[in-house]
C-alpha cells in the first residue's frame, strides 16, 4: 500500500520508495521530506542519471524529485517501488487499474540490471566485509 501526505500527494510504501516514469520520459520520485530516504531509490536515481539519460541512451529525459499526485500513477508509463536487497519492483496495477502495459517496463528492468551490476561489481562506495 502507499501512504499519502496530508496534502494528498504520494509519500511512500511500507519500507519502500515510490517512483514513476512518465510517458514523456521523466523519472520522478516524491521529495524525501518526512519520508524514507532510501538507499536503493537514491542509487537508482544516480544510475538513471548516469546510464539512462542523454545521447546514446535515450530512455529518460530527466530524473526529478517532485510531489506526485495519485492520479500521476495511473497516467504513468511505469510505476515502481524501490527497496533494499536489490528491490526494483514494478507495480502492475493500483486500485484494480492496470499501470502501463501491466508488466515490468523497460526502465524498471534497466534499473534492476544496473543496481545488481553495481552491487556485485561496483567499487566506488562498497566495503568488503569478511565474516
Amino acid at each position: 500500500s502507499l501512504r499519502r501526505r496530508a496534502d494528498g500527494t504520494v509519500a511512500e510504501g511500507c519500507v519502500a520508495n515510490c517512483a514513476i516514469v512518465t510517458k514523456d520520459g521523466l523519472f520522478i520520485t516524491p521529495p524525501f521530506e518526512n519520508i524514507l530516504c532510501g538507499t536503493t531509490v537514491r542509487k537508482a536515481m544516480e544510475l538513471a542519471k548516469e546510464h539512462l539519460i542523454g545521447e546514446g541512451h535515450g530512455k529518460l529525459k530527466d530524473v526529478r524529485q517532485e510531489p506526485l499526485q495519485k492520479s500521476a500513477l495511473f497516467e504513468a508509463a511505469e510505476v515502481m517501488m524501490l527497496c533494499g536487497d536489490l528491490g526494483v519492483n514494478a507495480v502492475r496495477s493500483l486500485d484494480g487499474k492496470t499501470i502501463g502495459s501491466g508488466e515490468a517496463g523497460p526502465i524498471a528492468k534497466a534499473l534492476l540490471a544496473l543496481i545488481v551490476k553495481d552491487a556485485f561489481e561496483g567499487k566506488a562506495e562498497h566495503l568488503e566485509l569478511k565474516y
Side-chain angles (χ1 to χ4, degrees), residues 3 5 30-35:
R3 185 176 70 80
R5 301 174 193 267
F32 291 136
E33 291 104 29
N34 299 314
I35 67 167

Side-chain angles (χ1 to χ4, degrees), residues 17-88:
N17 293 95
C18 181
I20 70 167
V21 178
T22 65
K23 289 178 180 160
D24 58 344
L26 301 176
F27 182 88
I28 304 173
T29 67
F32 291 136
E33 291 104 29
N34 299 314
I35 67 167
L36 177 71
C37 183
T39 302
T40 303
V41 73
R42 287 184 288 122
K43 178 55 77 174
M45 292 167 67
E46 174 187 317
L47 292 170
K49 287 176 184 175
E50 186 177 335
H51 297 282
L52 301 178
I53 295 175
E55 197 170 314
H57 301 298
K59 293 185 179 192
L60 292 173
K61 290 182 181 174
D62 198 7
V63 174
R64 300 180 185 172
Q65 283 196 289
E66 57 188 50
L68 287 174
Q69 297 295 329
K70 184 178 175 184
S71 61
L73 280 64
F74 294 110
E75 297 165 5
E78 298 183 49
V79 176
M80 62 195 84
M81 301 301 290
L82 299 110
C83 56
D85 293 337
L86 311 176
V88 178

Side-chain angles (χ1 to χ4, degrees), residues 74-129:
F74 294 110
E75 297 165 5
E78 298 183 49
V79 176
M80 62 195 84
M81 301 301 290
L82 299 110
C83 56
D85 293 337
L86 311 176
V88 178
N89 303 292
V91 175
R92 293 167 169 35
S93 68
L94 180 64
D95 290 344
K97 296 177 184 171
T98 300
I99 302 295
S101 69
E103 299 296 327
I107 301 301
K109 289 176 183 177
L111 284 175
L112 178 58
L114 288 166
I115 286 172
V116 168
K117 182 177 180 179
D118 183 75
F120 290 99
E121 298 175 16
K123 302 288 184 213
E125 56 194 30
H126 299 279
L127 301 173
E128 185 177 337
L129 300 176

